């Protein structure tokens, strides 16, 4: 092995490292499935949608005509990435909660690399394959980018990052939490997440938060119940995942995708409704689950925000809300929160 000559960038694979952070609670997919399917009402956690197939189905959702979230946020970041980068003084390292396919991240990387030669990118994701794929693509396309990926829950990774001495001298941290993924958490969870992010940040650091905004039902509901049935497939895949990984015998055709809007709590809910009375067995859990006809399994909440609510969350977590950008149709908000 020869090391690269001075001034020559390290090859892509040398600029990618992975760290696996063991969860606090240690809850696994199996534990969480047992807990959810023996509860009343039944539920499954939305973070488990994103296996290999689920991640691809979500990417397909982002391309649907009915799903405005990704397009609206991309429009905002395309217009304002330069201002966002300029709002933090000096070299910045990027931490991202949920790395996805990295397309929106690239808009910020481009903006930051206009002012610094190299960039440390620290994506956090529960899916190792997602992390590896996005790191591979980024390091290949950007010679100045080094990736340290954390395979972990957001909470666990933020705690690990707070303790780690990864930060270079004088470097600011910008945390990205895009796509309105914060909307998967209930209001207490939203505040807790922002607080644990704030705890790892120092004065001068930033947090870029994407939130889907409240809007008429006629626009909101089809985004979660599209004509092609991609969202239905995304939802139903969770049952297939249980079949694949835990030896379940779910018959996906015996369930129906359901999306509804709770006008009081301002959230989309996704459920899987059992079409008939049925018993499902899950071998790895040694569990039999009985479902009545019409009974539902709650699989996701997607909270929709008002601008006042975001301001309250930011303040409650100890951030200063420096700036909010919205698109012309007020569909989506990008918020730059500053620590200190
Ligand atoms: C990735 C959580 C932001 O809530 O809009 C899309 C997930 N679920 N369609 C969302 C999702 C159904 C998405 N988030």
């Amino acid at each position: 092995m020869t090391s690269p000559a001075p001034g020559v960038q390290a090859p892509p694979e040398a600029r990618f490292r992975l760290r696996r952070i063991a969860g606090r609670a240690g809850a696994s997919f199996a534990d969480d499935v047992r807990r959810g399917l023996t509860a009343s009402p039944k539920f499954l956690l939305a973070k488990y949608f994103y296996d290999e197939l689920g991640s691809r189905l979500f990417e397909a959702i982002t391309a649907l005509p009915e799903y405005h979230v990704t397009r609206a946020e991309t429009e905002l970041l395309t217009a304002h990435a330069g201002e966002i980068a300029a709002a933090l003084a000096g070299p910045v390292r990027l931490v991202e909660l949920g790395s996805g396919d990295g397309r929106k991240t690239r808009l910020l990387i481009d903006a930051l690399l206009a002012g610094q030669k190299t960039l440390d990118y620290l994506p956090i994701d529960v899916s190792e394959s997602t992390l590896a794929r996005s790191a591979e693509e980024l390091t290949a396309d950007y010679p100045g980018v080094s990736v340290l990926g954390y395979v972990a829950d957001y909470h666990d990774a933020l705690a690990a990052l707070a303790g780690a001495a990864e930060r270079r001298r004088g470097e600011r941290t910008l945390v990205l939490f895009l796509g309105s993924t914060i909307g998967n958490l209930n209001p207490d969870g939203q505040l807790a997440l922002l607080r644990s992010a704030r705890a790892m940040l120092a004065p001068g650091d930033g947090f870029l938060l994407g939130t889907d905004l409240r809007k008429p039902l006629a626009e909101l509901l089809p985004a979660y119940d599209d004509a092609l049935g991609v969202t239905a497939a995304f939802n139903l895949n969770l049952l297939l995942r249980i079949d694949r990984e835990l030896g379940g015998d779910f018959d996906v055709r015996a369930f129906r995708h359901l999306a509804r809007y709770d006008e009081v709590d301002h959230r989309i809910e996704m459920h899987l409704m059992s079409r008939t009375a049925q018993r499902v067995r899950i071998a790895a859990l040694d569990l039999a689950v009985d479902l009545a006809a019409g009974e539902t399994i709650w699989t996701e909440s997607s909270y929709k925000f008002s601008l006042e609510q975001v301001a309250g969350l930011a303040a409650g977590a100890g951030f200063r809300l420096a700036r909010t950008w919205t698109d012309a149709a007020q569909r989506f908000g990008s918020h730059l929160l500053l620590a200190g």
Side-chain angles (χ1 to χ4, degrees), residues 120-137:
D120 290 327
Y121 174 55
L122 298 86
I124 300 167
D125 206 292
V126 283
S127 160
E128 184 166 335
S129 61
T130 300
L131 274 182
R133 194 176 330 134
S134 83
E136 222 168 86
E137 292 170 359

Side-chain angles (χ1 to χ4, degrees), residues 50 58 61 67 179-181 184 224 231 234 270 300 302 304:
Y50 303 91
F58 178 67
I61 287 174
Y67 193 73
S180 205
T181 303
N184 274 172
Y224 293 85
T231 308
F234 174 72
M270 298 209 313
E300 186 176 46
S302 188
K304 303 304 167 188

Side-chain angles (χ1 to χ4, degrees), residues 76-139:
L76 285 172
L77 295 180
T78 301
H80 304 296
E83 288 166 79
I84 294 164
L88 299 183
V92 170
R93 64 169 190 168
L94 262 192
V95 173
E96 182 163 23
L97 305 177
S99 56
D101 73 357
R103 245 179 295 178
K104 287 173 293 184
T105 313
R106 284 171 182 245
L107 297 168
L108 287 154
I109 291 178
D110 288 333
L112 288 166
L113 285 179
Q116 61 193 74
K117 277 214 228 18
T118 61
L119 176 75
D120 290 327
Y121 174 55
L122 298 86
I124 300 167
D125 206 292
V126 283
S127 160
E128 184 166 335
S129 61
T130 300
L131 274 182
R133 194 176 330 134
S134 83
E136 222 168 86
E137 292 170 359
L138 279 177
T139 50

Side-chain angles (χ1 to χ4, degrees), residues 239-260:
L239 302 181
L240 279 188
R241 181 175 184 179
I242 295 173
D243 288 356
R244 281 189 295 262
E245 294 184 24
L246 302 175
D249 68 354
F250 276 104
D251 172 9
V252 163
R253 293 179 194 276
F255 289 84
R256 194 164 75 76
H257 167 67
L258 204 82
R260 61 169 175 241

Side-chain angles (χ1 to χ4, degrees), residues 23-39 43-45 47-48 241-242 245-246 282 284-287:
R24 266 172 324 189
S28 62
F29 183 45
D31 296 336
D32 285 334
V33 168
R34 177 190 301 281
R35 190 163 57 90
L37 294 185
T38 55
F43 69 91
L44 291 167
L45 297 178
K47 68 176 175 180
Y48 294 116
R241 181 175 184 179
I242 295 173
E245 294 184 24
L246 302 175
I282 304 173
L285 302 181
D286 197 18
L287 181 71

Side-chain angles (χ1 to χ4, degrees), residues 56-68 70-71 103 228 230:
R56 285 169 195 266
L57 288 169
F58 178 67
E59 274 175 41
I61 287 174
T62 66
L64 291 172
E66 295 97 331
Y67 193 73
H68 54 276
T70 313
R71 265 188 308 276
R103 245 179 295 178
L228 289 180
V230 181

